[in-house]
Amino acid sequence: MTEREEDTNTGSTGELGIEPRSFNRIYVNWRFGVIRDMHTLERFAYRGHEAIQRRTFGATRCVARVLVGESLLHQSVEVPAVSRLLEAAVPANMRVNNGHGEAERLWMLLGAVNSSQRRSPYSVDTIVEQVDNTRGTIQRTPLDRVRQLRSEGYRFIRGIPTDRVDEVLDLWRWTFDWNREGVVGLQERLIKEHSWRSSNRGVWFTGLIDPGTHELVSIATAERLNMPIGDGRTLPIVESTEWRRSDGIERHGFMVATVSHLHAQILEDLDGYNPLIIAETNFWSEAHRAGFAAAMDVAPRRIGRGYVSQALIQNVRVGDGRIPDGIRDFTMMYLPVESQNNFYDPISRTAMLREGVL
């Protein structure tokens, strides 16, 4: 059995708790609320090293996703045992009690331990520099991009019609290791959740159809994970993922508009719930360029007196056509509340979504 057959896509955010994932990874999404002490973070670091040394579940990469308040974040970047494992730290638009009667900002942390065999040909400094060099001001708003394509006859869809399952599978099969069962499962889940109260939905999809060929030219999906804060609230973390444009198409605006439409859906459905929309963008294929154009950003790398690279090193395989084929490095991006207010306000969202159909 080949690696691709073994490593069928297992979703994006995963479930709460400990879960073996594709490409020899163990994922931990902490289910017990906001972490408030350094000892717990240090224990995570120890357990991660232990899992890699013992090859638990055959793992060569162990990842933990946790929530912390800003004060513990600032402490964690100064403790070597923890800071050297931090790959990403992303601020949420929510506040929590710091234990001393004061409110502080909530952050999502992602820490990882890799075995020595998971080595990138790129240094972290190179990844950071090249990504930051592509950051710029928004030249065209997400709404403008969607409107332009609509004016040319392009159509956005929010579901996967049965007669397009094969198209979606063709786009995702070798790139993201999806199989037919996975695509059909997503199709059925989208149909089922369409009848739910919008704030309860946990998956989204956008496809862009060419008016001339009537084929899908770009697609993207998103998956939600509700992480408990511990005071009766949850933080909806929504991972925007599987960004894919048809081969042979050079028009980069397709992907940006598709991602923008997807994010408009999420924000419309979860209005008032403060979702944290994130994307792990493939550095090798420069997917961060589409993220920046869709008004996403990279969270601060300098935090207090410490540093977080916001780079996920040797995470998963993506069939992006680059050589050699294999595990890729990613940049963590997110949609800041400022971008939500400036580019995804209710009026803009309504305009972007007006022709969405199942």
Side-chain angles (χ1 to χ4, degrees):
M1 184 176 287
T2 68
E3 183 182 69
R4 288 177 183 165
E5 291 171 329
E6 292 173 343
D7 285 303
T8 299
N9 190 290
T10 52
S12 301
T13 58
E15 305 293 335
L16 292 174
I18 302 173
E19 181 183 21
R21 304 292 297 277
S22 59
F23 298 99
N24 300 321
R25 295 174 299 156
I26 296 177
Y27 243 80
V28 181
N29 287 314
W30 187 239
R31 63 170 68 241
F32 300 111
V34 176
I35 293 176
R36 301 187 182 280
D37 63 279
M38 186 59 62
H39 174 70
T40 302
L41 293 180
E42 290 175 324
R43 190 174 67 202
F44 265 110
Y46 173 79
R47 294 280 179 83
H49 284 294
E50 188 177 49
I52 295 303
Q53 290 171 359
R54 295 183 176 182
R55 292 295 299 272
T56 305
F57 299 119
T60 57
R61 177 171 168 83
C62 184
V63 181
R65 189 198 315 265
V66 303
L67 301 180
V68 301
E70 195 158 49
S71 57
L72 185 58
L73 169 66
H74 281 254
Q75 294 176 47
S76 68
V77 296
E78 296 183 38
V79 177
V82 175
S83 64
R84 64 172 172 259
L85 304 185
L86 293 180
E87 291 189 332
V90 184
N93 188 31
M94 298 181 74
R95 301 182 75 80
V96 293
N97 191 302
N98 65 0
H100 303 288
E102 300 171 340
E104 62 181 14
R105 195 165 196 178
L106 181 67
W107 290 68
M108 181 199 79
L109 296 189
L110 212 67
V113 181
N114 281 349
S115 73
S116 58
Q117 68 190 75
R118 291 180 91 114
R119 292 181 177 176
S120 173
Y122 298 101
S123 69
V124 171
D125 288 346
T126 295
I127 294 172
V128 168
E129 180 181 9
Q130 292 191 18
V131 169
D132 284 352
N133 284 342
T134 64
R135 179 191 274 117
T137 58
I138 299 292
Q139 300 298 317
R140 298 176 60 200
T141 69
L143 175 57
D144 286 342
R145 291 179 180 275
V146 170
R147 278 178 167 165
Q148 176 63 38
L149 290 177
R150 281 220 182 92
S151 71
E152 297 174 20
Y154 289 87
R155 185 163 61 94
F156 293 87
I157 59 173
R158 304 190 208 185
I160 304 174
T162 298
D163 61 358
R164 293 193 182 275
V165 167
D166 286 340
E167 282 186 83
V168 174
L169 180 59
D170 286 345
L171 289 170
W172 279 349
R173 187 201 307 268
W174 297 115
T175 306
F176 301 119
D177 296 282
W178 281 66
N179 58 22
R180 172 174 284 276
E181 181 182 4
V183 175
V184 171
L186 175 59
Q187 175 200 37
E188 294 173 347
R189 186 177 173 187
L190 288 163
I191 293 171
K192 179 176 69 173
E193 293 190 9
H194 181 69
S195 65
W196 292 3
R197 181 178 178 179
S198 60
S199 60
N200 291 333
R201 292 170 186 159
V203 68
W204 295 265
F205 175 88
T206 287
L208 180 63
I209 298 176
D210 186 292
T213 64
H214 303 290
E215 296 178 350
L216 284 169
V217 290
S218 63
I219 57 176
T221 188
E223 185 178 5
R224 173 181 182 176
L225 172 69
N226 287 329
M227 287 200 70
I229 293 175
D231 56 6
R233 295 181 297 163
T234 60
L235 171 66
I237 297 175
V238 182
E239 183 169 348
S240 177
T241 187
E242 317 306 63
W243 301 355
R244 180 69 161 88
R245 191 180 60 194
S246 292
D247 294 331
I249 292 177
E250 298 300 327
R251 185 167 174 173
H252 296 276
F254 287 166
M255 196 73 260
V256 177
T258 300
V259 170
S260 298
H261 186 277
L262 180 74
H263 293 174
Q265 283 193 66
I266 298 164
L267 292 170
E268 186 72 8
D269 286 348
L270 302 186
D271 186 30
Y273 288 83
N274 295 312
L276 175 58
I277 300 177
I278 61 172
E280 298 175 1
T281 55
N282 179 9
F283 168 73
W284 293 52
S285 63
E286 298 188 312
H288 49 272
R289 290 180 179 273
F292 284 131
M296 301 192 83
D297 203 354
V298 179
R301 303 187 202 270
R302 294 289 176 187
I303 298 174
R305 291 184 289 183
Y307 180 82
V308 178
S309 68
Q310 310 294 358
L312 283 56
I313 303 303
Q314 293 293 279
N315 189 26
V316 297
R317 173 195 172 269
V318 176
D320 52 20
R322 272 61 176 181
I323 298 174
D325 182 272
I327 307 295
R328 297 300 190 234
D329 311 296
F330 296 77
T331 297
M332 176 67 76
M333 303 189 77
Y334 78 118
L335 191 65
V337 65
E338 296 80 10
S339 291
Q340 295 179 31
N341 294 336
N342 292 335
F343 302 112
Y344 294 91
D345 58 280
I347 294 175
S348 296
R349 295 197 307 259
T350 298
M352 279 192 267
L353 299 176
R354 65 181 177 84
E355 290 181 4
V357 295
L358 272 177

